[in-house]
C-alpha cells in the first residue's frame, strides 16, 4: 500500500549512545551520538485551508501548545518562506509521544512537517536540503528529517548514515516515568569530563561499552530515572538498557519479541502510571511502509 500524500509519521528518536566531548563557546556541547528511530511515533496530517492552522489531539496533547511557537508551525513557516510558497495548510498533529522526553518529540514533529509540506506544497526538495534548513529549529531536527540510523557530531547536526544490520527490527521498549525533563539544565548538569570518543564499533557489544554521558546528571536531577533503568535492567532477555537524549525516557533492546512482551507486561503492572511504547527499531526509513492512522 502506498502512503497517502497527506499523512506523515514522526517516529520517536533514540540515542543508542551519546558521548559529550566538550562545551562550546556558543552555549551548546559537542557530541558524538548514534541516532536510531523506531517504527512508531506522532502522526501529522494535512488538509486544505486558507491560512496556516494547527490542531492537536492524541493522548499526549495536553502538554503542548498549538500557538505560533509550536515547532510544527515554525517549520511550516520556515519552509514556506525559503521555498517562496504561500503557507496554506491545516495541519493536524496526533501527539502520542510524551513532551520533553528525550525521544525527539517536537523535533520529530517539525521534521515530519518539513517532509509532509515538501510534498503537499509540491516543493520537491531532497531530504538533504530540508535537513540543512531544519538545523535552525533545533540540534536534533536534521536527524529526524532522515529518521534512519545516523552518526551525529557537532551539536548533533553533522550527520553520516550508518548501517546497523545486527539491530534491524530489534524489539525495543521505551519507558517514561511521566516527568518532563528540560534539555538545557541536563546538559548543564554534565560534569565536564570528556570520557572519550564513541569510536567506530557499532555492534551490540561495542554499544554496550558506549555511554549516554547525560544520564548521570539527568538521574541526579530526576532520581526516578535510576528506578526506570533498574526496572528495565531486571527484565529477562534484555541486551542493552540506556537513557535516550536528555531523558527521562529510557529504552531496553530485547533479544526477542516474546521477552519484550513479558517485560512490558511486568513493568506496566508495577508502574501503571508510567508511559510505555513497545515497538521495533527501524533499520532504514521505508516511506511506503510507514503506518498511517
Ligand atoms: O537545539 P535544542 O533546542 O534541541 O537544544 C536545547 C538546549 O539543549 C540548548 O539550548 C542547549 O542548552 C542544550 N544543548 C547543548 N548541546 C547540544 C544540544 C543541546 O548544550 N548539542
Amino acid at each position: 500500500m502506498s502512503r497517502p500524500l497527506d499523512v506523515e509519521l514522526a517516529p520517536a528518536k533514540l540515542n543508542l549512545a551519546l558521548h559529550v566531548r566538550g562545551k562550546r563557546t556558543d552555549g551548546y556541547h559537542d557530541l558524538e551520538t548514534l541516532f536510531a528511530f523506531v517504527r512508531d511515533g506522532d502522526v501529522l496530517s494535512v488538509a486544505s485551508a486558507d491560512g496556516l492552522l494547527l490542531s492537536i489531539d492524541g493522548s499526549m496533547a495536553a502538554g503542548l501548545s498549538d500557538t505560533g511557537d509550536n515547532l510544527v508551525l515554525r517549520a511550516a513557516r520556515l519552509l514556506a518562506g525559503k521555498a517562496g510558497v504561500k503557507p496554506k495548510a491545516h495541519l493536524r498533529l496526533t501527539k502520542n509521544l510524551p513532551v520533553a522526553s528525550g525521544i525527539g518529540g517536537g523535533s520529530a514533529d517539525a521534521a515530519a512537517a518539513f517532509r509532509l509540506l515538501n510534498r503537499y506544497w509540491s516543493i520537491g526538495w531532497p531530504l538533504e536540503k530540508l535537513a540543512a534548513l531544519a538545523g535552525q529549529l533545533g540540534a536534533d531536527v536534521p536527524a529526524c528529517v532522515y529518521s534512519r540510523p545516523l552518526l551525529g557530531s557537532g551539536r548533533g547536526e553533522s550527520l553520516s548514515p550508518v548501517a546497523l544490520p545486527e539491530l534491524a527490527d530489534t524489539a525495543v521498549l521505551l519507558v517514561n516515568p511521566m516527568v518532563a525533563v528540560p534539555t538545557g539544565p541536563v546538559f548543564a548538569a554534565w560534569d565536564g569530563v570528556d570520557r572519550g570518543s564513541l569510536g567506530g564499533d557499532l555492534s551490540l557489544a561495542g554499544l554496550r561499552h558506549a555511554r549516554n554521558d547525560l544520564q548521570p546528571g539527568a538521574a541526579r536531577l530526576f532520581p526516578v530515572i535510576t528506578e526506570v533503568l533498574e526496572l528495565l535492567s531486571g527484565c529477562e532477555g534484555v541486551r542493552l538498557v540506556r537513557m535516550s537524549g536528555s531523558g527521562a525516557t529510557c529504552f531496553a533492546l530485547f533479544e526477542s519479541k516474546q521477552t519484550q512482551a513479558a517485560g512490558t507486561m511486568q513493568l506496566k503492572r508495577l508502574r501503571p502510571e508510567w508511559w510505555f511504547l513497545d515497538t521495533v527499531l527501524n533499520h532504514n526509513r521505508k516511506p511506503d511502509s510507514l503506518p498511517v492512522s
Side-chain angles (χ1 to χ4, degrees):
M1 189 191 79
S2 70
R3 186 176 40 160
L5 179 73
D6 59 354
V7 180
E8 185 70 26
L9 183 74
K13 162 224 76 161
L14 293 179
N15 300 89
L16 294 182
L18 195 166
H19 291 201
V20 184
R21 302 302 310 277
K23 196 163 168 25
R24 301 156 47 122
T25 49
D26 62 4
Y28 276 78
H29 291 77
D30 275 318
L31 317 171
E32 289 172 21
T33 186
L34 177 58
F35 290 108
F37 292 82
V38 302
R39 186 192 52 197
D40 300 288
D42 295 335
V43 180
L44 191 67
S45 64
V46 64
S48 61
D50 283 337
L52 187 61
L53 299 167
L54 173 65
S55 25
I56 306 177
D57 57 25
S59 59
M60 294 291 158
L64 214 59
S65 137
D66 56 5
T67 54
D69 64 338
N70 184 289
L71 270 181
V72 168
L73 290 176
R74 289 176 57 201
R77 284 195 301 263
L78 182 61
L79 180 64
K82 292 286 177 190
V85 300
K86 283 214 173 74
K88 288 182 175 185
H90 184 172
L91 293 158
R92 178 181 151 208
L93 175 64
T94 302
K95 191 78 202 156
N96 303 316
L97 305 173
V99 175
S101 67
I103 52 174
S107 302
D109 298 341
F114 277 121
R115 293 191 301 265
L116 179 63
L117 294 172
N118 187 46
R119 288 198 305 272
Y120 185 70
W121 289 334
S122 302
I123 295 170
W125 285 359
L127 288 183
E128 290 71 18
K129 197 164 171 185
L130 295 175
L133 194 57
Q136 293 184 28
L137 295 181
D140 280 349
V141 189
C144 292
V145 166
Y146 293 106
S147 286
R148 54 150 298 150
L150 296 159
L151 272 176
S153 59
R155 295 186 313 158
E157 82 294 357
S158 176
L159 300 168
S160 47
V162 288
L164 301 173
E166 195 189 355
L167 297 181
D169 298 322
T170 294
V172 52
L173 173 62
L174 278 54
V175 181
N176 185 284
M178 294 311 288
V179 289
V181 169
T183 308
V186 171
F187 270 98
W190 176 59
D191 64 5
V193 178
D194 176 8
R195 292 175 174 80
S197 169
L198 178 52
D201 182 1
L202 304 180
S203 67
L204 187 62
L207 288 175
R208 280 211 195 93
H209 287 107
R211 314 174 301 274
N212 180 345
D213 287 329
L214 296 178
Q215 197 173 293
R220 261 195 319 278
L221 293 172
F222 301 93
V224 69
I225 291 171
T226 303
E227 188 188 354
V228 178
L229 291 165
E230 283 172 4
L231 285 175
L232 282 172
S233 302
C235 291
E236 205 179 306
V238 158
R239 303 164 93 194
L240 177 73
V241 171
R242 192 156 285 156
M243 188 181 86
S244 180
S246 52
T249 306
C250 300
F251 64 89
L253 306 186
F254 283 85
E255 66 180 16
S256 69
K257 296 223 171 10
Q258 288 72 24
T259 52
Q260 176 210 37
T264 306
M265 229 162 56
Q266 183 188 331
L267 297 197
K268 276 185 176 173
R269 219 178 292 128
L270 276 173
R271 293 286 180 269
E273 70 281 16
W274 288 0
W275 175 85
F276 297 89
L277 178 65
D278 50 335
T279 182
V280 294
L281 283 184
N282 251 359
H283 178 45
N284 264 321
R285 192 157 180 276
K286 301 180 193 119
D288 287 331
S289 64
L290 289 178
V292 294
S293 71

